[in-house]
């Protein structure tokens, strides 16, 4: 998911280019906006963290671009491509290093397991959008 800061900053194009250049196939994609409640459901695992409210406000502040991506070993390879959560610590050339604003506004989200990738795909897309 390309996050609000990167969409607002006009980095959607180069981010998608970098994702495709790395060999990922885009299965589904759209531009949409989360309500604060949607953002809270998406990040429910962080509900007890001190930054949760701020994260929900940020994630619902503007448009996002969720995508379903396909590649061998996709979860691990995508996490490598996007870099560390904190862009200041992300490796040179990673998406977060290149495009993120800050620890919170860090340009992109990547699922952390195949199980969560399936849950998050269904959060954003219908069965028809995923298989059509
Ligand atoms: P990710 O899997 O690399 O996205 O990292 P996490 O699952 O740990 O955190 C989810 C998201 O919460 C991150 O991508 C950031 O947008 C935000 N976040 C994580 N840690 C912090 C923090 O310490 N402060 C703030 N303000 N936001 C954070």
């Amino acid at each position: 998911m390309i996050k609000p800061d990167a969409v607002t900053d006009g980095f959607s194009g180069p981010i998608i280019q970098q994702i495709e250049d790395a060999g990922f196939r885009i299965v589904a994609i759209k531009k949409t906006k989360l309500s604060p409640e949607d953002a809270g459901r998406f990040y429910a695992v962080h509900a007890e963290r001190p930054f949760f409210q701020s994260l929900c406000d940020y994630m619902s502040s503007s448009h996002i671009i969720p995508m379903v991506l396909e590649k061998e070993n996709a979860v691990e390879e995508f996490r490598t491509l996007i870099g560390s959560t904190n862009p200041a610590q992300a490796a040179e050339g990673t998406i977060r290093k290149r495009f993120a604003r800050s620890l919170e506004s860090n340009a992109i989200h990547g699922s952390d397991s195949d199980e969560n990738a399936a849950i998050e795909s269904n959060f954003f897309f219908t069965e028809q959008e995923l298989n059509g």
Side-chain angles (χ1 to χ4, degrees):
M1 179 205 324
I2 305 177
K3 293 184 173 182
D5 59 303
V7 177
T8 302
D9 292 343
F11 295 142
S12 311
I15 288 174
I16 292 168
Q17 186 72 62
Q18 186 167 351
I19 291 168
E20 290 196 311
D21 287 348
F24 290 86
R25 192 178 76 82
I26 299 173
V27 176
I29 184 168
K30 69 171 131 188
K31 185 172 180 180
T32 187
K33 204 171 166 192
L34 295 175
S35 67
E37 294 73 29
D38 293 332
R41 273 193 293 280
F42 186 84
Y43 276 123
V45 66
H46 292 312
E48 303 306 320
R49 306 287 282 276
F51 57 83
F52 180 67
Q53 189 57 51
S54 173
L55 178 61
C56 293
D57 290 346
Y58 154 62
M59 287 301 300
S60 57
S61 64
S62 186
H63 292 92
I64 56 163
I65 301 181
M67 288 175 266
V68 177
L69 303 171
E70 197 171 74
K71 192 185 183 193
E72 244 353 274
N73 200 23
V75 166
E76 196 183 327
E77 295 222 357
F78 195 71
R79 299 285 301 190
T80 301
L81 184 71
I82 70 178
S84 302
T85 306
N86 187 344
Q89 287 155 13
E92 234 19 86
T94 58
I95 291 175
R96 282 170 166 165
K97 184 70 171 188
R98 292 180 68 198
F99 301 112
R101 288 185 193 172
S102 68
L103 170 58
E104 180 173 85
S105 300
N106 61 357
I108 193 157
H109 165 82
S111 305
D112 64 4
S113 66
D114 286 348
E115 188 191 1
N116 280 336
I119 292 168
E120 292 173 359
S121 297
N122 288 313
F123 183 91
F124 286 112
F125 297 97
T126 64
E127 277 304 311
Q128 194 179 7
E129 287 170 327
L130 293 171
N131 300 315

